Amino acid sequence: MSRFPRRFIDDSSMEDAGISLCPSIHYRPINPNDLDRLEQIHRDIFPIKYESEFFQSVVNGVDIVSWAAVDRSRPDDHSDELIGFVTAKFVLAKDSEIDDLIHYDSSKGEETLIYILTFGVVETYRNRGIAMSLISEVIKYASGLSVCRGVYLHVIAHNNAAICLYKRLMFRCVRRLHGFYLINRHHFDAFLFVYFINGSRTPCSPLEVAMFVVNYMKSGIKSVASKLANKDEKSLKWLFCKDTDCVLPSQTKPKLGSSSAYEFI
């Protein structure tokens, strides 16, 4: 499994000409004509270099499925130009890192998952619902495949915008992976998000078990705190205000590279 520091990129330093006040956003597969633009966007908004083989696989649909967002309201020479994209690949469920979370149906043979590789929206098209629509396209496609059991991805732990997006789309955060990403010789944690489909949802993930324990402990702490009402006020305040429910903590974004024009997952 590759460890691309990828996914939700809703930021870019690129300029986009001819943006309408009411853009007409359409979604289509990425094709060979998108090659140069796709490479440009990845260069501008990701902190790592992708091999040319990756881009060739995307535009030619070799073991990768993809969706492009374009704005038909732009001038003719830009009306079919990428302003957003998502790339993904099929993974056998039994060979994936979440095989223990999948409820298998033996009658369906070799079951698969879709793993999101890269995902981005250029800066001038942010906050228009394009990111949500792109991921929704993946979910809709996966849901139409009877052997597909889910869509999953990794997100760097401090990318709160992307985490909120996945939660809004009903992805489930099932694991925290310590030191998953290595960027500029620094390690960063990642969260593993899954959208279960076609009856594959497990009754309770390891993270949900942990959350149950955390909440139970929190209720116990409050009980003890109430009995210590006459103790040190500062200590009591800590007991009540400590955020023990925070599964996706807000963190200060570390310096990841020379460019500040990306926000990645």
Side-chain angles (χ1 to χ4, degrees):
M1 187 66 63
S2 61
R3 292 191 175 186
F4 297 138
R6 63 196 175 295
R7 254 108 343 191
F8 175 54
I9 308 298
D10 208 14
D11 197 359
S12 168
S13 60
M14 293 179 293
E15 295 293 331
D16 288 88
I19 298 177
S20 169
L21 293 176
C22 298
S24 177
I25 308 300
H26 289 252
Y27 302 91
R28 60 165 177 79
I30 293 176
N31 62 56
N33 293 329
D34 297 317
L35 179 61
D36 290 344
R37 176 68 166 172
L38 186 67
E39 290 182 338
Q40 177 191 356
I41 296 175
H42 278 71
R43 282 195 305 268
D44 287 347
I45 63 181
F46 288 106
I48 66 170
K49 179 181 179 181
Y50 286 81
E51 299 294 334
S52 60
E53 181 181 357
F54 167 74
F55 296 111
Q56 289 295 333
S57 295
V58 172
V59 300
N60 292 297
V62 179
D63 300 323
I64 291 179
V65 290
S66 64
W67 289 262
V70 298
D71 181 2
R72 299 295 192 201
S73 68
R74 299 177 74 190
D76 289 343
D77 55 339
H78 292 287
S79 63
D80 200 46
E81 186 175 77
L82 267 66
I83 53 96
F85 63 89
V86 58
T87 68
K89 68 175 182 177
F90 285 97
V91 178
L92 286 176
K94 67 179 182 181
D95 296 334
S96 74
E97 62 190 293
I98 58 170
D99 64 310
D100 58 319
L101 303 178
I102 301 296
H103 176 71
Y104 289 96
D105 183 346
S106 58
S107 67
K108 295 189 176 184
E110 289 280 67
E111 296 177 318
T112 65
L113 298 163
I114 290 183
Y115 178 68
I116 294 179
L117 294 166
T118 62
F119 169 33
V121 177
V122 301
E123 179 181 12
T124 45
Y125 280 88
R126 289 179 295 171
N127 303 316
R128 296 174 184 265
I130 297 172
M132 181 171 286
S133 294
L134 282 167
I135 296 298
S136 296
E137 289 290 323
V138 180
I139 293 172
K140 181 171 66 174
Y141 172 76
S143 299
L145 303 173
S146 61
V147 296
C148 187
R149 314 303 283 164
V151 178
Y152 74 109
L153 53 86
H154 298 96
V155 52
I156 200 163
H158 61 255
N159 193 338
N160 294 320
I163 289 168
C164 289
L165 172 66
Y166 298 137
K167 291 173 72 176
R168 287 175 61 193
L169 285 165
M170 304 306 293
F171 277 75
R172 296 171 63 197
C173 182
V174 296
R175 285 179 184 144
R176 180 169 187 146
L177 306 172
H178 296 281
F180 182 81
Y181 291 118
L182 177 61
I183 304 170
N184 292 343
R185 294 182 293 182
H186 291 87
H187 287 277
F188 299 93
D189 291 355
F191 291 115
L192 178 59
F193 277 86
V194 185
Y195 186 96
F196 294 101
I197 59 175
N198 296 326
S200 66
R201 180 172 177 168
T202 56
C204 194
S205 73
L207 184 59
E208 288 171 324
V209 173
M211 279 301 299
F212 175 81
V213 173
V214 168
N215 288 329
Y216 182 81
M217 292 176 64
K218 180 182 177 182
S219 64
I221 289 173
K222 287 184 177 180
S223 177
V224 172
S226 65
K227 296 177 182 179
L228 297 175
N230 296 323
K231 297 289 184 179
D232 183 78
E233 182 179 355
K234 182 177 180 180
S235 176
L236 183 60
K237 181 178 179 181
W238 182 89
L239 287 168
F240 277 113
C241 296
K242 187 172 176 62
D243 186 7
T244 55
D245 279 335
C246 188
V247 179
L248 307 179
S250 176
Q251 301 177 10
T252 302
K253 180 179 176 183
K255 183 177 181 181
L256 299 173
S258 57
S259 173
S260 60
Y262 53 79
E263 180 84 1
F264 63 86
I265 294 185

